[in-house]
Amino acid sequence: MTTNSYFTNSSVMLLINADGALSYRDGSSTVSSGVNLTVGEEYDFTYEIDVTSATWGVTIADADGNVVFTISDLAFRTTADVLDSIVLVNNNSVDKTAYVRDIVVTVEEEPTDEETEEPTDEETEEPTEETTLPEDAVVSVTGQSEEAIVALEEAITTTGTVEFTLVVDTTQTNDTLVALTNGEAMASNTNYFANAGVQFMISGTTLKARIDGNTEEVGTVESGVEYTFTVSVDVENQTWSAVVTDSEGNQVAVVEETAFRSESALESIDSIVILDNAGGVESAYAYAITVTTESTGGDDEDLSVEVTDYTYTDGGQVIATVGLIDGATEPTDTIVYIVSFTKDGSPLGIVAGEIAVGGTINVSNSDSTGVAAISFVTGITVEDVSPVDGDSDLGTPVGVYYPAE
């Protein structure tokens, strides 16, 4: 590229006007994207370039990982044997109107002659079996499409709990987004996650959540490990909270009550969405997805007890009265409660004990600043609960309560 032909000799080209209006070159044509980038904000540009076919595409995400624009199969403006440079040019007299940083290039190498040799008879063994996903697995989808919106077995219109097991691939270079939302509301917006009720993001090994309008780190995860997400939603008040545990029952993250992300009120939570942001490939899958609504109850295997009155006072004291859910049958086995204390939003410890319907829990942890959850189970003793052993039978859940702030 010579100094007087920056534009005519460019293969891949994006144009951004002073007001943030974004355009792109498709061969000999300049096309408006219909998207305006916000001046002063940082964006992540991920280009997919095929020099052999002289085509390219790009996905642009904002600082929260939300895709604001994506397109593919565009033609080079000028063909080239190799792309080895990036050029940032102001088409005016003002210097330093933009900058780029954190430039990473990933190249798919052509196989060598040695790599393309025919295998010998000894080398033509049967391929090993790929990991079989659970039959009910919801696998992450690349890009925003209705294929990514998977209906839950039941819609939550008042209050309820969604529990699922999530397995992630933390080697992916792009973020994985997980949401619980109203499917119709999400599909109606070009930015799917603007109407997410509950939103998690996995960036490498970092687990983040959308809390009070900000994306915050809440824990860490590892590749291939099964994590259980227990998410409590309150559609009437447009709020949610969550506890995340690993395969041994250890808490790795707690999200205390926070508002839905959605720009407008959601009528229900009825769908789960897992997206590979900016072109990742099957970076996560969820399975064993269950929904419990406030009307659930009746048998010991269903939720049948709840907290009818709750107080958390300075000094870390919890006072909670336990009652029977309307229409439910009282469990015949001993009920064990588990109070999960937190400190500044992080797991601190648990306290367990026996309780009867109509009884009052009165426990404290002076180091705590809040409570993530009060859970109720049957079929175990208090000794089985603390410390939690991943190989132990943790009983049958008969109630889960997430206190308000």
Side-chain angles (χ1 to χ4, degrees), residues 129-318:
E129 245 182 62
E130 294 185 3
T131 302
T132 303
L133 297 179
E135 290 185 1
D136 61 343
V138 175
V139 182
S140 57
V141 173
T142 300
Q144 298 184 165
S145 67
E146 292 193 16
E147 178 188 357
I149 303 174
V150 179
L152 299 172
E153 63 182 14
E154 183 177 1
I156 300 175
T157 56
T158 52
T159 59
T161 302
V162 180
E163 184 172 282
F164 57 90
T165 299
L166 186 73
V167 179
V168 300
D169 178 3
T170 60
T171 65
Q172 290 287 337
T173 58
N174 300 298
D175 296 333
T176 301
L177 303 175
V178 181
L180 297 174
T181 185
N182 179 278
E184 184 177 353
M186 178 169 277
S188 67
N189 195 311
T190 54
N191 178 7
Y192 272 16
F193 282 83
N195 279 337
V198 175
Q199 180 178 325
F200 288 98
M201 179 188 298
I202 298 96
S203 302
T205 60
T206 302
L207 175 64
K208 303 176 183 179
R210 188 78 172 189
I211 300 173
D212 294 331
N214 299 307
T215 300
E216 300 182 11
E217 180 178 345
V218 294
T220 57
V221 293
E222 298 177 16
S223 283
V225 176
E226 297 179 336
Y227 293 94
T228 299
F229 286 65
T230 304
V231 183
S232 177
V233 297
D234 184 341
V235 177
E236 293 177 330
N237 293 306
Q238 300 286 289
T239 59
W240 67 282
S241 58
V243 175
V244 182
T245 58
D246 63 19
S247 56
E248 295 184 349
N250 303 307
Q251 287 186 0
V252 298
V254 173
V255 178
E256 297 185 345
E257 186 177 80
T258 187
F260 285 172
R261 174 178 178 173
S262 53
E263 296 177 345
S264 56
L266 301 180
E267 295 181 356
S268 67
I269 295 294
D270 61 13
S271 301
I272 184 170
V273 179
I274 309 178
L275 286 183
D276 298 310
N277 193 26
V281 180
E282 295 188 359
S283 58
Y285 65 89
Y287 71 99
I289 305 169
T290 60
V291 179
T292 304
T293 62
E294 69 170 358
S295 61
T296 303
D299 299 328
D300 283 1
E301 293 183 354
D302 294 327
L303 299 189
S304 53
V305 297
E306 63 181 349
V307 171
T308 57
D309 190 29
Y310 170 81
T311 303
Y312 178 87
T313 61
D314 293 339
Q317 184 179 32
V318 171

Side-chain angles (χ1 to χ4, degrees), residues 48-62:
E48 296 287 341
I49 299 172
D50 188 340
V51 175
T52 303
S53 63
T55 58
W56 67 285
V58 65
T59 297
I60 303 174
D62 64 21

Side-chain angles (χ1 to χ4, degrees), residues 57-126:
V58 65
T59 297
I60 303 174
D62 64 21
D64 289 332
N66 304 307
V67 175
V68 298
F69 177 71
T70 185
I71 197 166
S72 59
D73 295 325
L74 301 176
F76 279 9
R77 173 171 184 172
T78 301
T79 57
D81 295 328
V82 63
L83 296 188
D84 59 5
S85 303
I86 184 171
V87 180
L88 196 64
V89 177
N90 297 328
N91 194 23
N92 52 45
S93 59
V94 181
D95 289 332
K96 299 179 181 179
T97 60
Y99 66 89
V100 295
R101 64 181 180 89
D102 299 335
I103 302 171
V104 177
V105 179
T106 303
V107 179
E108 294 184 6
E109 298 289 348
E110 291 292 329
T112 63
D113 291 339
E114 292 180 359
E115 293 173 331
T116 56
E117 289 180 359
E118 291 295 322
T120 64
D121 290 339
E122 293 179 358
E123 295 172 332
T124 55
E125 297 177 358
E126 290 295 319

